[in-house]
Amino acid sequence: MAERDAYGEEQQDRERFVVRILLALVVLLAIVLALGWRLSGLQVGAHSHFTTLSENNRLRVEPIAPTRGVIRDRNGVLLAGNRASYQLEVTVEQVRDLDSLLARLRGYVELSEADVERFRRGVRQRRPFQPVLLKAGLDDETVARIAVSRHELPGVEIEARPQRFYPQGSTLSHAVGYVGRINQQDLQRIDRRAYAGTTHIGKSGVERFYEDLLHGRPGYRQVEVNAQGRVIRELSVTPPQPGTDLTLTLDVNLQQAAYRALAGQDGAIVALDPNNGEVLALVSAPGFDPGAFVHGISQADFAAVRDDPRRPLFNRALTGQYPPGSTIKPLVALAALDEGVTTAEREMFARGYFQLPGHERRYRDWRREGHGRVDMSRAIAVSSDVYFYDLAHTMGIDRMVPILGAFGLGQRVGIDSTGERPGILPSRDWKRATHDQVWFPGETLITAIGQGYMLSTPLQMADFTAALATRGQRYQPHLLRAMDNGSGEPEYPLPVARDPVTVDEKHWDSIHDSLIEAVHARHGTAWGSVGSTRPAYTIAGKTGTSQVFSLGEDEEYDEDELARRLWDHALFVGYAPAEDPRIAVAVLVEHGGSGGRVAAPVARQVMDAYLLDDAGMTINVPEDE
């Protein structure tokens, strides 16, 4: 009986063993089938994908940066170009002691902490066999010293790379702009594929506005590499497409003459061709050295420029907003004529102040004793505030604003550059939206003389002056004159006409004559720009004074008692020759004091430089004429 039990248990063990073997075989078969299925998928379904990965272990595509387009003035003078610049590079895998090498290199070239930190950051981001920039912009003497000791400096190489340079320096820094290293902010707005291999990008001015044209397109080279990624040989090359060369409307000679005319004073000058909107000169003084930003300015140097009280980085011509002062009086007069609220012949006695009916406050004239009996032409010539107070009160702000807006005040001109601001053209709606307040009658008076809330840029002043010169024909101010992509046929964009200012022709005649009187008559506020030497052409213009602070009703402006920073800004706008205008100019001299004494002579020098072969050519006028 016991033997039977033992036999039965042995039989059951065998059966369990067979079952386990069968289960193990089933599991093994399932695993084999799964592996076979996966292997089949890898070999057949993903063949193309893994073939590509395998090729990439052997082949690599490297970008080639394009050559940036150059910028020239209207006469072909170079404004921004490219030149070979020597730079110091280090291949880390060839260096045993990096700290020791850096210490030795300090004996050959000045290395700041920022240079070293930037280099170490580059070392962390690149492979050991790839060279890393340590110092750019080496001079010939430094290059020669390092070359002589090359055998003592393992891993050190001197390479020539293209570098942006600006031969005109600070004279055109705001107009042309500058390039700088691509930063995180730039990476957020660009197509990174289009900038493969590129380290610099336009930061301001024409360099930034026309970045897409100037940059070009990158090329590529296919190279064979080993397992460590080192290049073995070059297989193919797709050359880069260079950037487009640009010709600007600017005239370097005129730009330099305008810069010199400011004689070290802070300010702005904009000169336009009124017949097509070409910008002939665009000056903001002081300027800055654009070349200092190309390879990254040090924090100390940048802080010095940024904190300079003269604000050299501030583009006064486009970004600066100033009360236009009396320069807008011709526009106000034109509005009054067009609205029929007055005539050019109507006379009034302009005493030293104006009072609104039923009000005690006196709105004073700039000339304390007034100007006596004046008509419109004389009122513009002598810049009578009282005449325009009276005109503004009769016309009202609602009839004055539309024509000022038609001349572009309170709007961006839309120039092909960066940083332009719109200024302010105040109105009832503007004040309600901005200050949540009603408009007061006294604000109409001070708006008529370009003060109060009103703000304008020097570019806007030149723009409305050009419209006066062409009797209402308006063209888009622009800096680009031609583009050349290497095809041999430069492309010349056509001038863009804007909505004209439509006014009766006889009204244009009245304003035109009054602007000539302001310059060429002895009583004119701009007579000082002519003085005893009359130019060989006729100038039409208007002076202006822009208050820096407000005076009380009984206070008197005394320049001698004030610090220079509290002096009025000096303004002048004008065009010439008056009979057939070829240039329209706006001049702003910060804290210059007098538009007639300071700004008008500056404009005269600019016009002379453009219109006369010899800037000193004048016609002598007897003192008693």
Side-chain angles (χ1 to χ4, degrees):
M1 191 66 179
E3 290 180 359
R4 288 182 180 179
D5 292 340
Y7 176 79
E9 290 177 0
E10 183 178 353
Q11 184 66 25
Q12 290 176 355
D13 290 340
R14 289 197 186 102
E15 292 175 355
R16 283 195 292 269
F17 180 72
V18 170
V19 170
R20 289 172 181 170
I21 290 177
L22 291 175
L23 287 174
L25 289 174
V26 169
V27 172
L28 181 61
L29 180 61
I31 291 173
V32 171
L33 290 174
L35 290 174
W37 176 263
R38 179 56 179 163
L39 183 60
S40 174
L42 291 174
Q43 290 181 333
V44 179
H47 172 78
S48 176
H49 173 69
F50 284 102
T51 298
T52 301
L53 291 180
S54 177
E55 283 296 311
N56 284 343
N57 285 332
R58 186 174 65 88
L59 303 179
R60 188 168 69 205
V61 176
E62 296 181 341
I64 305 173
T67 302
R68 192 172 182 84
V70 302
I71 304 174
R72 295 183 174 89
D73 87 330
R74 64 190 301 116
N75 300 312
V77 178
L78 188 65
L79 307 182
N82 308 303
R83 63 184 176 190
S85 173
Y86 293 109
Q87 59 186 44
L88 178 62
E89 298 178 353
V90 177
T91 304
V92 177
E93 77 167 3
Q94 299 176 13
V95 181
R96 291 185 177 181
D97 188 341
L98 186 58
D99 292 335
S100 176
L101 176 65
L102 292 175
R104 293 184 64 186
L105 286 173
R106 290 182 187 273
Y108 295 89
V109 62
E110 182 179 350
L111 295 176
S112 66
E113 291 302 321
D115 292 330
V116 175
E117 175 58 31
R118 185 167 51 245
F119 168 74
R120 293 189 182 278
R121 191 163 54 245
V123 169
R124 292 192 294 269
Q125 294 172 351
R126 309 194 72 173
R127 296 185 178 182
F129 58 82
Q130 293 178 317
V132 180
L133 172 65
L134 177 58
K135 184 75 173 181
L138 303 182
D139 57 37
D140 292 340
E141 181 181 350
T142 302
V143 171
R145 291 174 60 203
I146 294 177
V148 170
S149 305
R150 175 70 181 78
H151 62 286
E152 300 176 353
L153 303 169
V156 173
E157 296 289 345
I158 301 294
E159 296 290 341
R161 307 287 187 190
Q163 174 184 320
R164 201 65 161 172
F165 77 106
Y166 302 94
Q168 307 303 324
S170 61
T171 306
L172 281 141
S173 55
H174 290 285
V176 175
Y178 65 93
V179 300
R181 290 187 178 276
I182 296 175
N183 56 31
Q184 289 299 320
Q185 292 179 338
D186 297 321
L187 290 174
Q188 294 175 4
R189 65 181 178 88
I190 64 174
D191 180 356
R192 299 193 184 193
R193 292 172 298 180
Y195 281 81
T198 301
T199 58
H200 288 71
I201 192 171
K203 297 290 186 176
S204 70
V206 169
E207 287 276 33
R208 175 160 180 173
F209 190 91
Y210 287 110
E211 172 64 27
D212 291 345
L213 290 175
L214 291 165
H215 172 60
R217 296 181 180 177
Y220 297 91
R221 69 169 186 155
Q222 190 178 45
V223 296
E224 184 176 1
V225 297
N226 61 18
Q228 288 75 39
R230 186 175 287 103
V231 175
I232 299 174
R233 60 173 175 154
E234 185 176 84
L235 301 177
S236 65
V237 176
T238 301
Q241 179 180 325
T244 301
D245 294 342
L246 303 183
T247 298
L248 302 187
T249 60
L250 296 170
D251 184 322
V252 164
N253 292 329
L254 183 64
Q255 182 86 7
Q256 292 173 342
Y259 210 89
R260 288 194 302 269
L262 284 172
Q265 301 175 99
D266 299 346
I269 300 175
V270 180
L272 304 177
D273 184 334
N275 302 296
N276 53 27
E278 291 186 350
V279 181
L280 304 173
L282 183 70
V283 172
S284 177
F288 59 92
D289 177 14
F293 292 83
V294 173
H295 280 296
I297 189 171
S298 69
Q299 292 184 350
D301 289 343
F302 178 72
V305 176
R306 180 196 61 203
D307 300 334
D308 188 328
R310 297 184 65 193
R311 300 185 297 169
L313 296 177
F314 181 57
N315 188 343
R316 290 163 169 82
L318 305 186
T319 308
Q321 299 183 116
Y322 309 86
S326 297
T327 62
I328 70 159
K329 286 178 179 176
L331 311 186
V332 175
L334 199 59
L337 292 173
D338 190 56
E339 290 290 334
V341 300
T342 190
T343 64
E345 298 74 25
R346 183 184 74 87
E347 293 185 349
M348 68 167 289
F349 185 81
R351 54 183 177 176
Y353 62 90
F354 178 85
Q355 284 180 289
L356 288 166
H359 292 72
E360 294 183 359
R361 178 178 175 179
R362 294 182 175 184
Y363 294 86
R364 297 188 308 168
D365 196 285
W366 69 269
R367 188 179 185 189
R368 200 165 188 83
E369 64 272 24
H371 298 277
R373 186 158 294 278
V374 296
D375 60 7
M376 179 176 286
S377 183
R378 188 175 182 90
I380 291 176
V382 301
S383 200
S384 170
D385 291 337
V386 168
Y387 180 91
F388 283 92
Y389 291 150
D390 180 73
L391 206 61
H393 173 61
T394 305
M395 182 167 41
I397 191 67
D398 296 330
R399 288 194 285 181
M400 186 164 60
V401 164
I403 197 166
L404 298 181
F407 275 98
L409 291 172
Q411 309 161 42
R412 288 183 176 85
V413 169
I415 191 172
D416 44 349
S417 188
T418 57
E420 184 192 357
R421 299 183 70 181
I424 295 175
L425 176 58
S427 64
R428 294 182 193 276
D429 293 339
W430 173 86
K431 190 179 180 186
R432 187 179 299 111
T434 305
H435 298 283
D436 194 24
Q437 295 177 359
V438 298
W439 186 264
F440 296 107
E443 293 171 330
T444 301
L445 307 187
I446 59 177
T447 298
I449 63 168
Q451 298 288 167
Y453 295 116
M454 180 172 282
L455 295 175
S456 183
T457 66
L459 174 62
Q460 286 178 332
M461 298 178 202
D463 185 40
F464 74 63
T465 304
L468 286 173
T470 57
R471 296 174 180 253
Q473 297 300 314
R474 302 175 66 231
Y475 295 93
Q476 184 80 40
H478 58 279
L479 287 161
L480 179 63
R481 191 164 191 255
M483 300 177 289
D484 186 356
N485 59 8
S487 63
E489 293 293 333
E491 179 182 347
Y492 293 87
L494 295 175
V496 178
R498 296 179 294 175
D499 293 338
V501 181
T502 306
V503 176
D504 193 298
E505 190 65 25
K506 65 180 181 181
H507 299 330
W508 289 115
D509 290 338
S510 298
I511 302 302
H512 175 80
D513 293 341
S514 67
L515 293 175
I516 294 176
E517 182 180 344
V519 178
H520 292 272
R522 279 188 174 275
H523 57 263
T525 56
W527 168 256
S529 65
V530 177
S532 61
T533 56
R534 181 169 296 172
Y537 55 88
T538 305
I539 301 173
K542 181 72 189 76
T543 59
T545 301
S546 173
Q547 289 185 352
V548 174
F549 68 98
S550 299
L551 289 171
E553 185 176 339
D554 297 322
E555 292 181 311
E556 186 173 352
Y557 176 84
D558 187 350
E559 198 171 272
D560 295 334
E561 298 293 328
L562 296 172
R564 178 67 185 258
R565 61 183 176 81
L566 296 178
W567 288 11
D568 293 339
H569 301 317
L571 301 165
F572 179 83
V573 299
Y575 53 89
E579 301 78 12
D580 183 20
R582 291 167 50 200
I583 184 172
V585 178
V587 175
L588 162 82
V589 180
E590 283 190 354
H591 311 296
S594 167
R597 188 177 68 249
V598 177
V602 170
R604 163 74 184 278
Q605 293 181 56
V606 174
M607 292 177 176
D608 281 352
Y610 188 69
L611 297 175
L612 305 179
D613 292 334
D614 180 359
M617 191 177 94
T618 55
I619 297 175
N620 291 326
V621 180
E623 284 295 330
D624 58 351
E625 181 174 335

